[in-house]
Amino acid sequence: MGSIIVLFELEPDGAIGAEGVEPAVIAVHAAGADPDVPEDPQPYTLCGRETGPMEHTHYRPTRPGESWYPSALADQRCQECERALRTL
């Protein structure tokens, strides 16, 4: 897999998050990049969930060794996606 796309699984009813502005993030997932359109995710996350209803974060680590997910959302990262990334 060349690169990953970071996606947010949002609260389905549109509940507002901690800052009171954005929808609440249930989980942060990772998906492979589509080989034909590298800015788009493949149809399923690394843990097997559909990516269609998720929000593309456009997050990219800025330096080597930085986590694949936004550090402020460490508690919401998908453990299954993380395990899958470790095996790549």
Side-chain angles (χ1 to χ4, degrees), residues 1 4-7 27-32 44-49 59 61 65-88:
M1 179 184 318
I4 65 161
I5 305 293
V6 178
L7 302 161
V28 181
H29 293 278
Y44 294 95
T45 63
L46 298 179
C47 67
R49 293 182 174 245
Y59 171 80
E66 194 170 35
S67 60
W68 62 269
Y69 51 87
S71 60
L73 296 171
D75 291 341
Q76 285 95 339
R77 75 184 182 273
C78 174
Q79 296 298 316
E80 290 180 51
C81 286
E82 185 149 324
R83 274 191 287 279
L85 282 166
R86 287 185 189 148
T87 64
L88 296 178

Side-chain angles (χ1 to χ4, degrees), residues 6-85:
V6 178
L7 302 161
F8 288 163
E9 180 180 354
L10 301 175
E11 191 70 48
D13 61 2
I16 301 301
E19 279 75 49
V21 179
E22 300 292 326
V25 176
I26 295 172
V28 181
H29 293 278
D34 184 314
D36 296 326
V37 185
E39 251 324 284
D40 289 347
Q42 292 182 352
Y44 294 95
T45 63
L46 298 179
C47 67
R49 293 182 174 245
E50 287 188 43
T51 59
M54 295 186 188
E55 182 177 310
H56 190 317
T57 67
H58 300 282
Y59 171 80
R60 298 255 189 250
T62 56
R63 25 181 217 276
E66 194 170 35
S67 60
W68 62 269
Y69 51 87
S71 60
L73 296 171
D75 291 341
Q76 285 95 339
R77 75 184 182 273
C78 174
Q79 296 298 316
E80 290 180 51
C81 286
E82 185 149 324
R83 274 191 287 279
L85 282 166

